[in-house]
């Protein structure tokens, strides 16, 4: 198989993966509420089986040294399918439900770092950032389509959550099964993508002191991701008292914009490099969070109200969502620092664990800041930690000068 055909298979598989995830994992909170009538305490505890795989995944990958990147992706897709099969068709009880939430989430979290490693292997020399941006753009479009289907499906009653069959999960299972077939074909026809098998290296978790800059920016990313997943929606839900349909429509807008932004960031990385990418991330993300802080403060103190308040909040939501695409900078940083191809994927997995550990530990603290100090201070903290990216950019500059 030629590389261009392999790239098309890869893009199609992960477009379908994003579509399936949007029809299942992204609306799992509604499933918990409508099917099991969980209260706020139970919902908090359900984050354990849903997010623990983000920490566990690195150890699962490290324990399977004989499997290459595509093979691990096949396993991750298969675990996701098993979880959807049980949740969507067999109406499990509360305890069994948690087991299969863990199962699908483990598959999802295993795939997250591996797909970036495969994308970098498929990219042409000198165009790694461009292909990373293209594949992230395709996944964003898949997620946007899923948001449209969710909005329309629940509005007209084709999708619903109640005991028994869950139609949206079943649809996700169909899309994911097709994606799994595409991945199996990719593995069969281009076995060279199994980087770990090809390298023949196995030294345990490849944590190195020289990779510390990557671990640091990934930890900051985990901190800032709380703004996207928790506090940007909370501006809409709590401060404006708007419902899930509004959030879904804003998600569609954000995914649409992301389909353009992700490739632009990739092209910027190819042209200017990781150091300038970190500077762009620092300035861009800080500017977005400062704008969000201004909007939240204005809504709370009444200086922004009516259409003005809504416009500022909506713009904040979309812009904060777009900051997620700067994760391509971190992937490229890891590749630049790496000693071997095997190290890239395994450290991306380790970085995902760092991301999740920090995300889980700071959520309560940021919630307290929101409640007792004010919503704007949550976003100001998100802007302040952007200084870390500048520090890493300066370290890269100094490292290059030392090498010369």
């Amino acid at each position: 198989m030629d590389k261009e055909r392999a790239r098309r298979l890869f893009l199609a598989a992960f477009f379908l993966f994003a579509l399936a995830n949007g029809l299942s994992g992204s609306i799992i909170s509604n499933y918990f509420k409508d099917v099991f009538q969980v209260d706020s305490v139970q919902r908090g505890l359900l984050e354990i089986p849903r997010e623990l795989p983000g920490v566990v995944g690195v150890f699962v990958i490290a324990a399977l040294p004989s499997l290459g990147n595509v093979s691990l992706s096949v396993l991750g897709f298969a675990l996701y399918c098993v979880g959807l099969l049980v949740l969507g068709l067999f109406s499990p009880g509360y305890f069994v439900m948690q087991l299969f939430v863990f199962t699908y989430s483990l598959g999802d979290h295993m795939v997250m770092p591996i797909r970036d490693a495969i994308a970098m292997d498929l990219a042409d020399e000198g165009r790694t950032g461009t292909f990373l941006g293209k594949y992230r753009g395709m996944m964003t479009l898949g997620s946007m389509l899923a948001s449209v289907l969710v909005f329309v499906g629940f509005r007209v009653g084709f999708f619903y959550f109640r005991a028994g069959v869950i139609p949206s999960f079943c649809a996700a299972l169909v899309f994911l099964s097709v994606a799994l077939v595409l991945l199996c074909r990719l593995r069969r026809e281009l076995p060279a993508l199994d980087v770990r098998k090809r390298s023949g290296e196995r030294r345990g978790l490849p944590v190195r002191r020289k990779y510390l800059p990557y671990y640091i920016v990934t930890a900051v990313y985990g901190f800032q991701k709380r703004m996207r997943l928790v506090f940007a929606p909370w501006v809409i839900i709590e401060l404006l008292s708007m419902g899930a349909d509004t959030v879904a429509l804003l998600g569609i807008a954000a995914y649409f914009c992301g389909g353009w932004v992700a490739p632009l960031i990739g092209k910027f990385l190819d042209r200017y490099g990781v150091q300038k990418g970190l500077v762009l991330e620092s300035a861009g993300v800080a500017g977005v969070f400062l704008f969000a802080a201004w909007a939240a403060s204005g809504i709370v103190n009444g200086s922004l109200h009516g259409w003005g308040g809504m416009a500022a909040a909506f713009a904040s939501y979309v812009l904060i969502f777009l900051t997620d695409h700067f994760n391509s900078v971190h992937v490229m940083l890891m590749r630049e620092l790496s000693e071997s191809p095997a190290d890239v994927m395994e450290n991306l997995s380790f970085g995902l664990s760092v991301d999740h550990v920090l995300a889980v530990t700071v959520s309560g603290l940021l919630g307290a800041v929101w409640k007792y100090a004010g919503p704007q201070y949550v976003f100001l903290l998100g802007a302040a930690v952007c200084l870390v990216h500048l520090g890493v950019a300066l370290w890269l500059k100094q490292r290059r000068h030392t090498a010369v």
Side-chain angles (χ1 to χ4, degrees):
M1 176 189 291
D2 60 58
K3 212 169 187 180
E4 184 57 36
R5 189 177 173 191
R7 283 193 284 259
R8 288 197 297 268
L9 275 176
F10 173 81
L11 291 173
F14 281 95
F15 172 83
L16 292 171
F17 177 85
L19 180 56
N21 185 261
L23 291 170
S24 54
S26 67
I27 54 175
I28 196 72
S29 293
N30 302 83
Y31 169 73
F32 293 151
K33 182 66 176 177
D34 293 347
V35 176
F36 295 97
Q37 292 80 48
V38 301
D39 58 25
S40 59
V41 175
Q42 290 172 309
R43 179 63 189 90
L45 292 174
L46 283 170
E47 284 299 283
I48 296 174
R50 201 177 74 86
E51 292 293 350
L52 185 60
V55 180
V56 172
V58 63
F59 300 104
V60 174
I61 291 173
L64 299 170
S66 63
L67 296 184
N69 289 348
V70 182
S71 297
L72 285 168
S73 294
V74 168
L75 176 59
F77 275 43
L79 288 172
Y80 206 138
C81 284
V82 170
L84 287 179
L85 179 67
V86 175
L87 296 176
L89 289 176
F90 294 105
S91 188
Y94 190 74
F95 176 73
V96 175
M97 175 271 291
Q98 292 181 70
L99 292 178
F100 286 93
V101 165
F102 180 90
T103 301
Y104 98 74
S105 186
L106 178 59
D108 186 18
H109 284 88
M110 283 179 62
V111 168
M112 287 179 187
I114 298 168
R115 67 194 185 206
D116 290 328
I118 298 173
M120 287 189 287
D121 279 347
L122 283 170
D124 291 329
E125 187 68 29
R127 294 181 57 83
T128 303
T130 299
F131 187 67
L132 279 174
K134 183 176 181 179
Y135 112 79
R136 287 177 180 272
M138 286 293 292
M139 289 195 66
T140 299
L141 290 176
S143 298
M144 182 182 73
L145 177 58
S147 293
V148 173
L149 292 175
V150 166
F151 179 78
V152 174
F154 280 97
R155 275 296 180 95
V156 303
F158 183 74
F159 289 161
Y160 51 81
F161 285 124
R162 56 175 178 262
V165 173
I166 309 296
S168 63
F169 288 5
C170 294
L173 178 60
V174 172
F175 290 126
L176 195 62
S177 298
V178 176
L180 179 58
V181 171
L182 294 177
L183 269 190
C184 288
R185 183 177 176 186
L186 181 62
R187 180 185 60 176
R188 183 179 68 251
E189 298 192 26
L190 199 63
L193 281 178
D194 275 350
V195 170
R196 296 167 90 205
K197 191 180 296 183
R198 183 176 72 234
S199 69
E201 298 177 17
R202 181 65 196 147
R203 306 182 302 271
L205 291 178
V207 179
R208 305 284 183 270
R209 183 178 179 181
K210 67 174 293 186
Y211 300 156
L212 185 61
Y214 167 71
Y215 304 146
I216 291 173
V217 297
T218 302
V220 172
Y221 172 75
F223 180 90
Q224 292 175 331
K225 194 163 69 173
R226 296 298 93 191
M227 314 301 163
R228 179 173 62 88
L229 297 179
V230 179
F231 297 107
W234 212 236
V235 170
I236 309 299
I237 295 167
E238 183 174 88
L239 300 187
L240 297 182
S241 300
M242 292 184 173
D245 55 343
T246 301
V247 174
L249 288 174
L250 288 172
I252 294 169
Y255 284 129
F256 178 79
C257 295
W260 293 93
V261 170
L264 290 175
I265 293 174
K267 291 177 180 178
F268 182 94
L269 285 169
D270 282 339
R271 183 171 182 179
Y272 297 106
V274 173
Q275 180 191 340
K276 290 183 179 178
L278 287 166
V279 174
L280 176 66
E281 178 180 9
S282 178
V285 174
V288 167
F289 287 158
L290 289 173
F291 176 79
W294 169 78
S297 177
I299 293 169
V300 170
N301 64 33
S303 62
L304 287 174
H305 53 83
W307 287 104
M310 282 194 293
F314 291 173
S316 297
Y317 181 94
V318 173
L319 290 171
I320 289 173
F321 190 97
L322 295 179
T323 62
D324 185 56
H325 294 292
F326 280 109
N327 191 39
S328 295
V329 181
H330 313 156
V331 173
M332 291 287 284
L333 172 62
M334 183 59 233
R335 187 183 189 192
E336 185 171 304
L337 296 174
S338 66
E339 296 176 352
S340 75
D343 276 6
V344 174
M345 188 276 291
E346 291 177 345
N347 270 284
L348 290 177
S349 179
F350 181 73
L352 184 68
S353 294
V354 173
D355 167 345
H356 278 72
V357 168
L358 193 69
V360 170
T361 56
V362 302
S363 293
L365 173 63
L366 291 174
V369 171
W370 177 289
K371 182 176 181 179
Y372 297 110
Q376 65 270 30
Y377 291 102
V378 172
F379 298 111
L380 288 174
L381 284 172
V385 296
C386 288
L387 292 172
V388 173
H389 300 98
L390 284 179
V392 174
L394 291 173
W395 176 86
L396 286 175
K397 184 177 181 180
Q398 183 182 15
R399 177 172 174 258
R400 290 196 184 98
H401 286 166
T402 302
V404 173

